[in-house]
């Protein structure tokens, strides 16, 4: 009842996956801080409850709630976004297989694909999805998976998931999309034909920068293969983290709509500032993917990036002058966070590689929280003034 597909996302964030209420039951599901559960004698092992299997009541509630939010048959909660990405890929690839991935990826995902998968005999080709034909040019008879991240970290490009989705279907391969920057509020990935939607739930889904988690959603057959690997490799979520994540999800739509609004207003404001060379935000008319983002995004997101004039020293001065926004990696929380990818997500890539991805020195990534707009403008004004004093 509480998972009905016709319910609003705000309703599903609160009630999705919840058991039918019974008199005397707590309104807030308790943390079931137990590793294991009594089993009946002679019960088949598939029914055993054990927290590494992902079937502890807190884990199972999140799985049902996320599936309801994504509009998928099934979901699984894992102990990090990287666990969700890595195990989803491993669930469909064997040694000798091939994966095609967008070249615009979170740095650690890029390292997983360029160093770890080849070590396991999986070949990876990177493509530039701004050329929609690039996907088809890169596939081979051994291609088992396609991987896209949108909006991209940290350049906020938006590429059409329907292009690799159609190709994946034709090939019998799995399209995996990392939708962390969008959250289910801003993009309805399953409706666009994505076979496996993954998120770092550490970010917008949790929303309070107080947990590490990942989710994967798709058909029962896709998700059960990932769950089988979670049992083997072990990145299962702690019940208390699942409980915290449930608390975060209850306000997901409120937070994200506020973050969408504030980020759009700030993007327009940064665009007017002389100290700023370029603003990357899909909601701006000048953004290269604005038309597509307008078609496929319900909101343009709480992430925005910009390049300040004066390169690395200007970006450092900007960061040091901030008094409200916090200089820290990660994103999607209620507090505004600022980071320079050359120090964080893309630290392992060379300056040339970063430049090829559109990340010159001076690039700043802003995760907009839920603070007051004017307070943020005042803080960023101080940052821009400091940046302009460096050159
Ligand atoms: N995907 C994206 C787009 C990210 O930005 C991150 C982390 O920053 C991850 C995946 C990895 O998530 P986690 O830190 O939860 O493993």
């Amino acid at each position: 009842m509480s998972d009905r597909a016709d319910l609003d996302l705000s309703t599903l964030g609160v009630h999705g996956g919840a058991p039918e209420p019974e008199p005397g039951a707590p309104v807030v599901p308790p943390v079931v801080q137990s590793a294991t559960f009594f089993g009946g004698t002679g019960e088949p092992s598939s029914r055993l409850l054990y927290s590494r299997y992902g079937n502890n009541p807190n884990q199972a509630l999140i799985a049902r709630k996320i599936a309801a939010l994504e509009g998928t048959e099934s979901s699984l909660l894992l102990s990090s976004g990287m666990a969700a990405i890595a195990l989803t890929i491993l669930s469909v690839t064997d040694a000798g297989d091939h994966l095609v991935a967008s070249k615009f990826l979170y740095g650690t995902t890029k390292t997983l694909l360029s160093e770890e998968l080849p070590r396991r005999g999986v070949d990876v080709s990177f493509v530039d999805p701004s050329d929609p034909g690039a996907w088809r040019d890169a596939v081979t008879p051994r291609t088992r998976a396609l991987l896209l991240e949108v909006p991209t970290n940290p350049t906020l490009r938006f590429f059409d998931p329907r292009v690799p989705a159609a190709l994946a279907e034709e090939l019998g391969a799995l399209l995996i999309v990392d939708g962390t920057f969008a959250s289910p509020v801003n993009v309805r990935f399953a409706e666009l034909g994505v076979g496996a939607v993954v998120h770092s739930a550490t970010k917008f889904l949790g929303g309070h920068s107080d947990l590490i988690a990942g989710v994967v959603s798709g058909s029962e057959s896709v998700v059960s293969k990932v769950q089988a690997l979670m049992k083997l490799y072990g990145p299962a979520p702690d019940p208390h983290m699942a409980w915290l994540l449930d608390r975060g999800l209850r306000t997901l739509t409120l937070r994200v709509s506020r973050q969408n609004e504030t980020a759009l207003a700030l993007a327009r404001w940064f665009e007017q500032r002389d100290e700023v060379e370029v603003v990357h935000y899909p909601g701006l008319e000048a953004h290269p993917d604005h038309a597509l983002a307008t078609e496929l995004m319900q909101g343009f997101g709480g992430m925005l990036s910009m390049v300040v004039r004066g390169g690395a020293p200007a970006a450092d001065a900007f960061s040091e002058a901030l008094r409200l926004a916090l200089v820290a990696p990660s994103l999607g929380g209620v507090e505004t966070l600022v980071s320079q990818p050359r120090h964080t997500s893309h630290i392992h890539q060379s300056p040339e590689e970063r430049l090829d991805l559109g990340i010159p020195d001076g690039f700043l990534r802003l995760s907009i929280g839920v603070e007051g707009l004017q307070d943020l403008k005042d803080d960023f004004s101080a940052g821009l003034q400091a940046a302009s004093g460096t050159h």
Side-chain angles (χ1 to χ4, degrees), residues 80-82 85 106 109 149 153 178 180-181 200 202-203 212-213 331 365:
S80 70
M82 284 315 301
I85 294 167
Y106 166 57
T109 308
E149 179 187 310
N153 179 7
D178 180 344
T180 299
F181 272 40
S200 165
T202 313
K203 321 297 186 194
I212 299 283
L331 59 117
R365 191 189 77 178

Side-chain angles (χ1 to χ4, degrees), residues 14 47 105 261 283 343 357:
V14 179
R47 267 193 257 149
L105 293 171
E261 238 172 66
H343 292 326
L357 296 171

Side-chain angles (χ1 to χ4, degrees), residues 24 43 45 53 67 78 81 105 163 175 207 232-233 236 246 252 256 272 285 317 336 341 350 366:
E43 286 286 305
S45 65
Y53 294 5
L78 299 98
L105 293 171
V163 174
L175 171 63
L232 291 180
Y233 287 85
D246 180 45
L252 174 70
V256 171
Q272 305 303 319
E285 287 71 18
T336 295
S350 66
L366 278 49

